[in-house]
Amino acid sequence: MKKRLTLAALALFSTAALAACSAAPGGSSSSNGTQIDKTVKIGYNLELSGNVAAYGTAEKKAADLAVEEINKAGGVDGKKLEVVSKDNKSDTSEAATVATSLATQDKVNAILGPATSSGTAAASPNATKAAVPLMTPSGTLDSLTVSNGKVQDYVFRATFQDSYQGKVLAQYASENLKANKVVLYYDNSSDYSKAVADQFKKSYKGEIVVEDTFASDDKDFQAALTKFKNKDFDAIVMPGYYTATGLITKQAREMGIDKPILGPDGFSDPQYVASAGANNATNVYYVSGYSTKVNLSDKSAAFVKAYKEKYGEEPNLFAALGYDSVYMLADAAKGAKTSKDLSENLAKLKDFEGVTGKFSIDKDHNPVKTALVISLKDGKEEKAEPVEAK
């Protein structure tokens, strides 16, 4: 099915955005799953501390809000949602351990998270073994839901894939920014970033004058930026998480590099602007699936209002994805007796109306949904423009 990126005014994007790492093994399960009894139990396996805690924290806040709303409205089939929340500490080994604990000890009926692709890849085999569906709000690595040509029966996502983001960035660079020559500078320590970069290289029709890499823990990017500064290019394409890309943006601008900077949804957390500095976060563009300035569905305005009243701040992309994920799980829990039933219902989800738009789950367990490209000026969302990935 053809995917379309509809964009209209706005700003934001979230994080490690969507986040990255290794392919998820596993597939189907011989387990009977967990029973849905007096409550529908949802286990959070989120990054609440560590390097990308901003993603998991935003998702938890919004997920908690969704749980409150659903329970206040009577729950699912008269059953309240019960939450068991655990911190995976932004660590893949811990994410795998938490998945096992939630599924086998706490007997949850569904797992929300991890937020990152790497955490999801680590957690998926254990969730699959227990026949408990895992919904990652923001894990974007293509192989999370389809590995070696096989659909992962118990793995779902609420966001679009890395390959889609790479196509969007390539098209936006060429058609919207008229960038015929680019520098490609990406995080080589992240499968997420590498996947976006690989698809960009396949889709971009212009010239990549320099291709270089960094690691997410790096702090000094002066040597690479000095090399770029003396080249003839129209934009820098920078797949990576906010933790590094904000600092790179700051150092680039301070060196006088004022060309457009493009990135994936990993830019979408406010910490990107905090690291870059508001004045430096100008002429910056990133892929996103949500904006508080654009109503992608009739539910968007009410969500923003409720989130601001509860937390005193506007929700970002990760919050919106966490919120939608809980409502997707609740919808799939209707009529379900076990976690296996819930998973089967998720795979059939059609015309779901969330705050990130109206969408269905495709045969590969991915949502067919809208995307946005956000532009920043002085650290604030200036606008969003429509892009159609071809």
Side-chain angles (χ1 to χ4, degrees), residues 24-29 124-125 128-129 145 147 150-155 365:
S28 59
S29 172
S124 293
T128 295
K129 184 177 180 181
T145 55
S147 182
K150 179 173 176 55
V151 176
Q152 305 302 291
D153 289 346
Y154 294 93
V155 184
H365 293 185

Side-chain angles (χ1 to χ4, degrees), residues 157-347:
R157 76 175 103 222
T159 190
F160 33 71
Q161 302 157 273
D162 290 338
S163 59
Y164 192 39
Q165 295 197 65
K167 291 177 183 178
V168 173
L169 289 173
Q171 189 165 315
Y172 191 85
S174 296
E175 297 185 5
N176 296 70
L177 297 182
K178 309 300 180 186
N180 298 316
K181 298 180 179 180
V182 303
V183 168
L184 179 60
Y185 191 37
Y186 62 95
D187 182 357
N188 197 41
S189 65
S190 160
D191 286 350
Y192 159 69
S193 305
K194 290 187 288 186
V196 175
D198 286 346
Q199 186 61 57
F200 178 86
K201 288 187 285 186
K202 293 175 183 177
S203 302
Y204 182 58
K205 305 302 182 184
E207 178 186 355
I208 299 175
V209 297
V210 179
E211 179 180 339
D212 205 345
T213 64
F214 59 90
S216 57
D217 292 335
D218 292 346
K219 303 299 181 186
D220 187 352
F221 307 93
Q222 299 287 330
L225 291 171
T226 298
K227 179 171 63 176
F228 302 159
K229 184 176 181 180
N230 297 323
K231 298 291 184 179
D232 177 21
F233 66 94
D234 302 313
I236 300 177
V237 179
M238 197 186 302
Y241 295 129
Y242 70 89
T243 45
T245 56
L247 188 56
I248 296 171
T249 299
K250 173 181 173 63
Q251 293 179 18
R253 297 307 193 221
E254 289 176 347
M255 290 177 62
I257 299 174
D258 59 0
K259 297 294 177 66
I261 292 175
L262 290 82
D265 59 359
F267 280 43
S268 187
D269 192 87
Q271 285 300 315
Y272 168 80
V273 174
S275 297
N279 292 338
N280 296 322
T282 295
N283 207 12
V284 171
Y285 307 82
Y286 62 85
V287 183
S288 181
Y290 175 76
S291 169
T292 58
K293 294 180 172 59
V294 175
N295 285 333
L296 295 173
S297 80
D298 293 339
K299 293 184 175 182
S300 297
F303 165 62
V304 174
K305 182 175 183 293
Y307 191 93
K308 289 175 70 174
E309 287 178 351
K310 185 172 180 63
Y311 298 113
E313 61 188 19
E314 287 198 340
N316 64 11
L317 169 65
F318 293 96
L321 290 172
Y323 184 85
D324 275 356
S325 293
V326 169
Y327 270 96
M328 291 167 71
L329 293 174
D331 190 284
K334 294 175 182 176
K337 303 297 184 184
T338 68
S339 59
K340 292 187 75 169
D341 296 337
L342 197 157
S343 184
E344 291 172 2
N345 290 345
L346 267 179

Side-chain angles (χ1 to χ4, degrees), residues 41-64:
K41 297 182 71 173
I42 299 177
Y44 294 176
N45 183 355
L46 292 170
E47 295 80 346
L48 304 180
S49 61
N51 292 337
V52 290
Y55 302 143
T57 300
E59 291 178 1
K60 182 181 184 300
K61 286 181 177 179
D64 286 344

Side-chain angles (χ1 to χ4, degrees), residues 63-73 81 310-311 327:
D64 286 344
L65 175 61
V67 169
E68 287 179 14
E69 292 176 350
I70 292 168
N71 285 343
K72 186 176 180 180
L81 300 185
K310 185 172 180 63
Y311 298 113
Y327 270 96

